[in-house]
Amino acid sequence: MTTSSSEQGVSLGMPELPAPGYPDDVRARLETDAREIIARYPDSRSALLPLLHLVQSEEGHVTRTGMRFCADMLDLTTAEVTAVATFYTMYRRKPSGDYQVGVCTNTLCAVMGGDAIFEQLQEHLGVGNGETTDDGKVTLEHIECNAACDYAPVVMVNWEFFDNQNPASAKRLVDDLRAGRPVEPTRGARLCTFKETSRILAGFPDERPGAVEESGSAGPASLVGLRLARGETAPARVVHPRAQESQGSQDAPSAGQVAEEEGE
């Protein structure tokens, strides 16, 4: 005897209806921005990534409506747009907070305390990975690498760096974000909301006075190797292990002395 799908608890479901379009005024505004973006590329489909940032700046995440808009503007199928939007983690697929707080839990940051930071922030905020606080301010997630290992453990907020963190400093950070207090990243421009960040990533200028100048460049720890290569810093001194044990290199036997003693 065979069992029907309904008896097995399997729902075949109905085909999903097409995504609704943007209101006319919103679409007109987004079309103007989209055409500016598309004009930068010799092949229009190359503009898909910045267009996804553009629609994300409208609603705070990439909606089905946003993907339909991108497909219409670039003469792509919604399946092609969806394949890209779901591949890159920078595109949010559900409503998220004004501040995306990412804690690096890759090897070095984890060893230096990243795992502890992430665990305590989850408890402190009452959310899990990828979840948003009830006030809509903070979305917490773990990130595999923030590309700032020389400042581990690192937390990023809307892609701006907060270096050398610990559980206490990370809690203060999210508390300040939720309270609306000014927060300055270790490196980079002052924080703006995730929607504003997405518009900048779409390729539009940061119009906040002085924000570009604040961005700066790489921090001192990131430039040590470059300074060594230029001879601007004294080369590192390699100390023989036996010299450390004898509390001074003068008392330690040289490599030749060791060889002579072993030869005897």
Side-chain angles (χ1 to χ4, degrees):
M1 181 178 70
T2 59
T3 304
S4 68
S5 297
S6 59
E7 290 172 337
Q8 293 175 342
V10 177
S11 175
L12 299 179
M14 293 294 291
E16 193 171 34
L17 295 174
Y22 286 118
D24 291 343
D25 59 331
V26 175
R27 182 174 180 101
R29 173 167 48 79
L30 289 177
E31 281 187 2
T32 300
D33 289 339
R35 291 193 186 98
E36 181 179 338
I37 293 171
I38 294 169
R40 301 169 186 163
Y41 299 89
D43 184 346
S44 64
R45 69 182 298 149
S46 299
L48 178 53
L49 294 182
L51 276 191
L52 286 169
H53 283 299
L54 176 65
V55 298
Q56 183 163 255
S57 74
E58 184 64 30
E59 299 176 86
H61 67 294
V62 177
T63 63
R64 292 177 59 238
T65 297
M67 288 189 280
R68 174 185 167 184
F69 172 81
C70 292
D72 291 345
M73 294 300 299
L74 299 175
D75 195 25
L76 299 173
T77 66
T78 53
E80 290 174 309
V81 175
T82 302
V84 175
T86 56
F87 180 82
Y88 294 102
T89 58
M90 67 182 72
Y91 302 120
R92 310 305 186 194
R93 298 297 310 285
K94 61 182 181 181
S96 55
D98 293 334
Y99 300 99
Q100 309 286 313
V101 177
V103 182
C104 184
T105 57
N106 211 337
T107 306
L108 183 56
C109 278
V111 170
M112 298 294 288
D115 283 345
I117 291 173
F118 185 62
E119 291 172 4
Q120 292 197 32
L121 282 184
Q122 289 184 90
E123 181 179 354
H124 184 66
L125 296 172
V127 298
N129 182 45
E131 295 180 353
T132 303
T133 54
D134 293 338
D135 57 8
K137 292 292 185 180
V138 171
T139 297
L140 179 67
E141 65 174 345
H142 75 80
I143 297 178
E144 287 302 319
C145 184
N146 279 331
C149 303
D150 38 0
Y151 295 98
V154 174
V155 173
M156 293 191 86
V157 181
N158 293 351
W159 314 123
E160 299 292 354
F161 289 102
F162 290 81
D163 303 326
N164 302 313
Q165 293 293 296
N166 56 55
S169 65
K171 289 178 185 177
R172 287 195 300 272
L173 170 61
V174 296
D175 287 346
D176 287 342
L177 292 173
R178 299 182 72 182
R181 290 188 285 268
V183 172
E184 296 292 336
T186 310
R187 291 170 285 139
R190 74 185 86 111
L191 288 182
C192 55
T193 66
F194 186 61
K195 288 182 180 181
E196 293 168 331
T197 300
S198 294
R199 182 169 177 82
I200 294 170
L201 290 175
F204 293 97
D206 188 340
E207 297 179 351
R208 297 173 297 163
V212 175
E213 290 76 10
E214 291 171 0
S215 298
S217 60
S222 303
L223 299 175
V224 170
L226 177 62
R227 288 173 177 157
L228 283 170
R230 290 176 174 175
E232 298 173 1
T233 304
R237 185 170 63 92
V238 179
V239 179
H240 194 282
R242 294 191 181 185
Q244 293 176 334
E245 293 173 4
S246 61
Q247 300 180 350
S249 57
Q250 294 180 351
D251 298 332
S254 65
Q257 291 173 327
V258 172
E260 291 177 1
E261 291 173 0
E262 291 177 349
E264 295 175 358

